[in-house]
Amino acid sequence: MAPSFTSPSPPDNSKAALKQLSSYNSHLLRRVSSHKLLSISSTLLFRTAILLTMTLVLLFTLHYPSLLSHSLSLSSPHPTNPHRSLLSSNRLQSLNPLEIRRSATPTRTNGLSILVTGAAGFVGTHCSLALKARGDGVLGLDNFNSYYDPSLKHARQKLLHKNGVVIVEADINDSQLLIKLFQLVHFTHVLHLAAQAGVRYAMKSPQSYIQSNVAGFVSLLEVAAKNADPQPAIVWASSSSVYGLNKVSPFSESHRTDQPASLYAATKKAGEEIAHVYNHIYGLSLTGLRFFTVYGPWGRPDMAYFSFVHDIIEGKPINIFSNAKRDFTYIDDVVMGCIGALDSAKPSTGLPGGSKKTGPADLRVYNLGNTSPVPVTKMVSIIESLLGKKAKKNVVEMPSNGDVPFTHANVSLAKRDFGYQPSTDLGTGLKQFVKWYVDYYKLEVISKKKEKAQEKVASS
């Protein structure tokens, strides 16, 4: 506490006061100097500690980088797969440039060089075979996921390999591998069919749809826009599901598509909007194809017609949605539509590196359907006739799982622009599918008429 220097009666004690004040100031100065010295010392000590810490971290990073990255991945709120970069590196190293270029090189004059994603899939296999047969260069890409039995995809791969089409096993989200492929081959076109399919499965695994149908599409467009020289024209698979709750029939490309009934449909609609962005900014030529219930040989086991054939043969009951009608489109007709879209697509207009575009580029969307909706009950009747066996039917109400009651395509736009004209009726198409199914699974399906004929021959 500082002493008081005032008094009721002011005696002359100035000398004593000055002496006391001088003593106090000296004491105060010593305290201030001590605090300053302590503060400076603390600051220096703190900075030294930071410097030593940074030095130790640097040394640790240089000597133990794998441990540090592992530690960071564990502490991150969104940890990455520690094996992803290694896996990508291994795949890059395993690529055979000569084999890839040979597969992607056209054998006809002015032939296309096409990267087909999802090449081991149903539509991808048929398109790859058709393109290769007419002399185009085709390189496939597929991750062989287990959404349905991968053995069917590997069987398709063997068929493609036998016909000169190589499939690179990789994920569409692996951008480094995509960049490498575009460096090895100057693709003129991309047929992007890789996607997570199925309406109902989205309720069980929603993230797989975002990863494949949204992130995967962006991954491809990023590489095509910024790393391809020249930029390819891209044709990609949208879906009739984008029409969602639309009740105006037949479905036209001019109808609203902002009421999706499933997450699958929403991801496909998102793809159409994403395509608009990359066309607008980077000048990518983009054509979306809205497929309507594609069926045929080498089809997907999760599709109704496929499972109906299986269950009827096995004698298992099948569930049929009441009043459901579908615009069933045979695979050969869809292939012709895909090829027409590829052939009519104009080049992209973006410059290498994605810096700017030289002008507007194609941004198109088309329906690929059969234009003749058929009740699912009629489809079952056709299958029963082909198998010579009655189905055990359970007619049930359509659940609220994303399915829509009917689809019906207006294909006049595709017919006008590239001559698309479906020609396969459901009876003919299902006959081809059942024949393939019996051959592929090595089954012996004999109709009742044939059984009676054989019995008659045996008895005589």
Side-chain angles (χ1 to χ4, degrees), residues 188 230-234 282-286 346-350 358-362:
T188 59
Q231 290 179 344
I234 299 173
Y282 300 106
L284 282 178
S285 172
L286 285 152
K346 294 178 181 177
S348 295
T349 61
T358 58
D362 269 352

Side-chain angles (χ1 to χ4, degrees), residues 82-137:
H83 304 292
R84 177 165 186 149
S85 60
L86 180 62
L87 190 62
S88 177
S89 176
N90 288 340
R91 283 174 176 162
L92 283 171
Q93 292 175 8
S94 67
L95 293 178
N96 184 330
L98 290 177
E99 191 178 45
I100 286 171
R101 290 192 179 107
R102 188 182 301 118
S103 182
T105 299
T107 56
R108 67 181 176 98
T109 305
N110 298 322
L112 311 181
S113 180
I114 308 165
L115 174 66
V116 180
T117 71
F122 171 36
V123 179
T125 295
H126 282 274
C127 285
S128 296
L129 288 171
L131 291 165
K132 194 70 176 178
R134 73 172 195 167
D136 292 320

Side-chain angles (χ1 to χ4, degrees), residues 21-139:
L21 180 60
S22 177
S23 173
Y24 175 79
N25 286 339
S26 297
H27 175 69
L28 185 61
L29 286 171
R30 282 196 300 271
R31 287 183 63 185
V32 171
S33 298
S34 175
H35 280 298
K36 282 185 177 179
L37 182 61
L38 183 61
S39 176
I40 292 169
S41 299
S42 298
T43 302
L44 288 173
L45 184 63
F46 178 69
R47 290 177 177 175
T48 303
I50 289 178
L51 184 60
L52 285 172
T53 302
M54 291 177 65
T55 303
L56 288 172
V57 169
L58 179 61
L59 290 172
F60 184 79
T61 303
L62 292 172
H63 290 281
Y64 304 101
S66 61
L67 289 177
L68 182 62
S69 62
H70 181 65
S71 173
L72 288 172
S73 69
L74 289 176
S75 62
S76 170
H78 303 288
T80 57
N81 184 348
H83 304 292
R84 177 165 186 149
S85 60
L86 180 62
L87 190 62
S88 177
S89 176
N90 288 340
R91 283 174 176 162
L92 283 171
Q93 292 175 8
S94 67
L95 293 178
N96 184 330
L98 290 177
E99 191 178 45
I100 286 171
R101 290 192 179 107
R102 188 182 301 118
S103 182
T105 299
T107 56
R108 67 181 176 98
T109 305
N110 298 322
L112 311 181
S113 180
I114 308 165
L115 174 66
V116 180
T117 71
F122 171 36
V123 179
T125 295
H126 282 274
C127 285
S128 296
L129 288 171
L131 291 165
K132 194 70 176 178
R134 73 172 195 167
D136 292 320
V138 180
L139 180 69

Side-chain angles (χ1 to χ4, degrees), residues 240-252 255 261 291-293 321-328 371-376 398 402-410:
S240 62
S241 295
V242 301
Y243 289 108
L245 303 179
N246 174 51
K247 290 181 172 56
V248 183
S249 180
F251 299 166
S252 168
H255 290 169
F291 296 154
F292 282 71
T293 316
F321 297 150
S322 59
N323 303 319
K325 298 175 85 172
R326 291 287 182 272
D327 198 343
F328 296 102
T371 74
S372 302
V374 176
V376 174
M398 183 170 288
D403 273 314
V404 293
F406 73 97
T407 58
H408 184 187
N410 178 338

Side-chain angles (χ1 to χ4, degrees), residues 329-388:
T329 314
Y330 190 60
I331 183 61
D332 288 359
D333 292 327
V334 167
V335 169
M336 290 300 102
C338 290
I339 291 177
L342 287 166
D343 288 344
S344 62
K346 294 178 181 177
S348 295
T349 61
L351 296 176
S355 57
K356 63 178 181 177
K357 60 182 181 180
T358 58
D362 269 352
L363 180 63
R364 310 180 298 170
V365 64
Y366 297 100
N367 290 336
L368 293 187
N370 194 50
T371 74
S372 302
V374 176
V376 174
T377 51
K378 182 178 179 180
M379 179 188 72
V380 173
S381 296
I382 295 171
I383 293 174
E384 288 176 321
S385 176
L386 291 168
L387 295 176

